[in-house]
Amino acid sequence: MESKDLLQIVAAASEDKQGKDIVALDMKDVSLIADYFLICHGNNERQVQSIAREIKDKVEESGLDVKKLEGYEQARWVLVDLDDVVCHIFHKEERNYYNLERLWGDAQRVPEETLFAKSEE
């Protein structure tokens, strides 16, 4: 599976659980960490956990493995490492504080129409 297809799966999973302000950054030219970062937030701990769980479930349904899931219990900043795509699910307050979009300002944003495009399979 291409990393763009995986990105679309996690974006849809985030949206399904009411993830707020979903942003994807194309990291290919600025970092070796991953091809894409997906960043979103929930308004409370329960919603943050729900988004993370939905991402994990949808990725596993696609036959892929979650490499690492960190921060789930505290639900203030959950990191879901999928190798080529790294998802950052924040509590609203933490998102404003860490501001990854500004930190990785060199990365291009993935256009919303690409992020939420239906796969042609």
Side-chain angles (χ1 to χ4, degrees):
M1 176 181 293
E2 290 187 31
S3 55
K4 187 179 92 175
D5 297 329
L6 178 57
L7 178 65
Q8 291 172 340
I9 289 170
V10 299
S14 301
E15 188 176 52
D16 286 349
K17 293 299 177 180
Q18 311 301 306
K20 306 293 182 202
D21 196 13
I22 301 168
V23 172
L25 301 177
D26 186 333
M27 302 300 289
K28 291 186 286 266
D29 294 333
V30 295
S31 175
L32 299 174
I33 295 170
D35 289 348
Y36 297 101
F37 278 2
L38 180 114
I39 305 165
C40 68
H41 71 267
N43 290 324
N44 57 54
E45 288 86 352
R46 203 156 136 213
Q47 186 182 16
V48 169
Q49 288 177 332
S50 178
I51 295 165
R53 194 169 39 255
E54 184 74 1
I55 289 172
K56 179 182 183 294
D57 291 348
K58 292 299 181 188
V59 167
E60 289 174 348
E61 284 174 20
S62 298
L64 300 172
D65 292 324
V66 173
K67 305 296 179 203
K68 191 177 278 188
L69 190 133
E70 293 183 12
Y72 184 82
E73 292 303 316
Q74 298 80 13
R76 302 301 289 183
W77 178 357
V78 179
L79 184 130
V80 184
D81 184 350
L82 307 170
D83 231 5
D84 292 337
V85 178
V86 176
C87 304
H88 300 270
I89 306 134
F90 286 98
H91 188 285
K92 187 176 185 177
E93 296 163 5
E94 270 70 12
R95 183 172 186 175
N96 293 333
Y97 179 78
Y98 289 104
N99 199 353
L100 292 188
E101 294 96 320
R102 189 173 52 93
L103 181 66
W104 292 100
D106 293 351
Q108 294 291 317
R109 284 188 182 218
V110 176
E112 227 176 273
E113 56 273 11
T114 301
L115 189 57
F116 294 105
K118 299 291 180 210
S119 184
E120 296 134 23
E121 289 182 39

